[in-house]
Amino acid sequence: MLLTVLVIAVVSAALIAGAGWGASGKISPRVEGFVIALAGGALIVSSVLELVEPATGTAPLWAVVGCVLAGAGVFVAMDRLVARRLGSNSGGGLLAAITLDGVPENLALGVALIGAGPLQVASLSGSIFLSNLSEAAGGAREMTQQRSRWQVMALWAGAAVLLSLSALAGNLLLAGVPGTALGLVRCVAGGAVVASLATEVFPQAFKEESYMAGFATALGMVLAIGLDQLG
């Protein structure tokens, strides 16, 4: 249980640390773009290996496909709603990305921590940490243009609390859920992650760091594969 609480705390704290970094104005756009692309590359691997692929061995293919597309569809709809209400450059899109895909993603993380050793969840938790840190930094930096730093930090702290509770719920309440149902929950998360990469993460990374974002993405993939092998 101590390992579970520690991993959840570190992963969620990345949101607050990233928001503080972005809101402070001390992050350069190029560094932000590189880190966002790095996290995106890591999430490509973890979304496939940790969220979607395991379900193909326990659930029908049509159910896996349906859940992935449902996750992507819900994210796209919510992202458009946030853009219309808050503006596409408000940082709200990245906040919506982390919150919407983060709830099922953290549910899956909480379940993955049941009886797991430190290295067994390294790939997924490491990728989530990187994405939380970089996306919160970028989102907070943009949100400070319309809100005070305290308001921005409060929003991201609220997201951190929500995702922490999601992970704890997954760990405590879903331990007895059949593997097939849990796998489909992870597929919904995987679809939302992929949609967020296409609409929020990589466009933001390319805007800030241009073509070096391509190298950073590949580096993130390599790091995630390495973490997965360790597990």
Side-chain angles (χ1 to χ4, degrees):
M1 189 62 185
L2 180 60
L3 173 64
T4 298
V5 173
L6 180 61
V7 170
I8 292 172
V10 170
V11 168
S12 299
L15 287 176
I16 300 175
W21 186 21
S24 70
K26 295 180 180 180
I27 177 175
S28 72
R30 294 191 65 182
V31 170
E32 176 194 332
F34 191 91
V35 176
I36 289 177
L38 183 77
L43 278 173
I44 290 175
V45 174
S46 62
S47 63
V48 174
L49 296 183
E50 306 294 335
L51 298 178
V52 177
E53 194 275 335
T56 61
T58 59
L61 182 59
W62 64 266
V64 172
V65 171
C67 286
V68 170
L69 294 180
V74 171
F75 174 81
V76 169
M78 292 297 294
D79 198 29
R80 290 187 65 181
L81 178 63
V82 169
R84 289 177 179 176
R85 293 288 181 88
L86 302 180
S88 59
N89 295 320
S90 67
L94 286 174
L95 179 59
I98 289 178
T99 303
L100 183 60
D101 68 56
V103 170
E105 186 180 77
N106 278 266
L107 283 170
L109 174 63
V111 174
L113 287 167
I114 297 173
L119 294 179
Q120 290 178 290
V121 292
S123 179
L124 182 59
S125 59
S127 299
I128 294 173
F129 178 89
L130 283 174
S131 65
N132 283 354
L133 181 69
S134 57
E135 291 178 17
R141 182 171 65 85
E142 293 182 355
M143 292 172 75
T144 52
Q145 298 174 12
Q146 300 178 356
R147 294 174 171 81
S148 70
R149 291 181 180 178
W150 289 111
Q151 288 177 320
V152 171
M153 291 300 299
L155 285 171
W156 287 98
V161 170
L162 174 63
L163 298 190
S164 296
L165 292 176
S166 298
L168 286 173
N171 188 261
L172 299 176
L173 303 178
L174 299 182
V177 171
T180 299
L182 180 60
L184 293 178
V185 170
R186 289 173 172 167
C187 287
V188 174
V193 169
V194 170
S196 71
L197 291 175
T199 60
E200 294 289 344
V201 176
F202 291 133
Q204 179 71 16
F206 183 80
K207 182 179 76 172
E208 303 293 3
E209 181 47 25
S210 190
Y211 296 100
M212 276 301 292
F215 177 81
T217 301
L219 179 60
M221 291 181 63
V222 170
L223 291 175
I225 291 171
L227 287 173
D228 183 73
Q229 292 299 309
L230 287 176

